[in-house]
Every structure is written in structure tokens, then in C-alpha cells.
Amino acid sequence: QVQLVESGGGSARPGGSLRLSCMLVGFTSDEYTVGWFRQASGKEREGVVCAAKADGPILYAESVRGRFIFTTNAYKAMMYLQMNKMEPEDTGVYFCAATKSTYQSNCVPGEFDIWAQGVEVTVSS
């Protein structure tokens, strides 16, 4: 059975950093396109970064480009979201997600069918 188990999150000051982790259970990012999404209170879920399977192209949202970094471990069974220079607008619930059926994603939630439970991230002074 394939699933995602997410950890990390918490609180940060503006300008600070946090790292999210996501364990891929039963598959690797060589087989599935993966991504990070977030949902702020009262807003729709949005794509943060998506990576095509097998070391394919990585697509960052304009709002996080240059601040957030997507990585995986050597076994492609863990993925990480390093969030730097954080802003209050980064506050929300963050989800990792995966799909086998899409290669290069447009990084929209509807393309993904496997979701982690989500973790809260709060950026405030």
C-alpha cells in the first residue's frame, strides 16, 4: 500500500526557516511525481513545488521561488521542503502529495491522488 507520512512544521519568525519531511511508503520519487502544497485559512489549496518523477523538472510557485528548496534523499524515499526567509503569507497547512499518472505536473491539487495528513506552519512575530 502506498502512502505518505509527513512531519515537521511548527512556528517561525518572519525571516526564519523551517523544514518539512515526507516519507514515501511503498514507492519512490523515481516512480511517482511528487509535490508540496499548502492551504491557508479560508483559501484554496495551492501548489508550492512539484517535481516530475525520475529526477524530472522541478516547478516552484512564484511566491516561494528562491526561498524554498525541494530535495529528496539518495534513496528517493524521503522528500523535504526547506523553507527559508519565511513570510507571514507562508502560514498554512502544508501537505505532501504524489501521483503515478502524471509526469510533468502543473502543480495543481487535482492532479494528485495520494496525500499526507498535513502539518501546520505558522509564521508570525
Side-chain angles (χ1 to χ4, degrees):
Q1 182 179 356
V2 296
Q3 61 177 326
L4 296 165
V5 180
E6 193 175 349
S7 60
S11 298
R13 302 284 192 189
S17 298
L18 286 173
R19 189 174 88 151
L20 305 181
S21 301
C22 182
M23 180 187 302
L24 285 57
V25 180
F27 67 103
T28 70
S29 61
D30 275 343
E31 305 163 277
Y32 284 63
T33 289
V34 295
W36 289 95
F37 295 80
R38 67 186 181 187
Q39 188 166 17
S41 179
K43 295 188 176 181
E44 293 188 357
R45 193 170 299 185
E46 63 176 0
V48 175
V49 56
C50 292
K53 64 180 76 174
D55 294 323
I58 299 175
L59 176 65
Y60 287 92
E62 184 64 35
S63 59
V64 306
R65 190 174 297 127
R67 301 188 297 120
F68 289 14
I69 303 170
F70 170 90
T71 58
T72 62
N73 71 349
Y75 300 102
K76 307 293 181 69
M78 290 289 299
M79 63 187 207
Y80 306 96
L81 182 66
Q82 177 66 44
M83 303 183 288
N84 301 318
K85 299 179 182 178
M86 297 188 74
E87 303 168 352
E89 292 74 21
D90 296 322
T91 295
V93 179
Y94 283 69
F95 303 86
C96 55
T99 178
K100 193 173 186 179
S101 59
T102 299
Y103 172 63
Q104 186 165 353
S105 168
N106 291 312
C107 212
V108 295
E111 296 177 319
F112 290 77
D113 49 13
I114 304 169
W115 291 86
Q117 76 277 16
V119 294
E120 289 203 39
V121 170
T122 303
V123 184
S124 69
S125 55

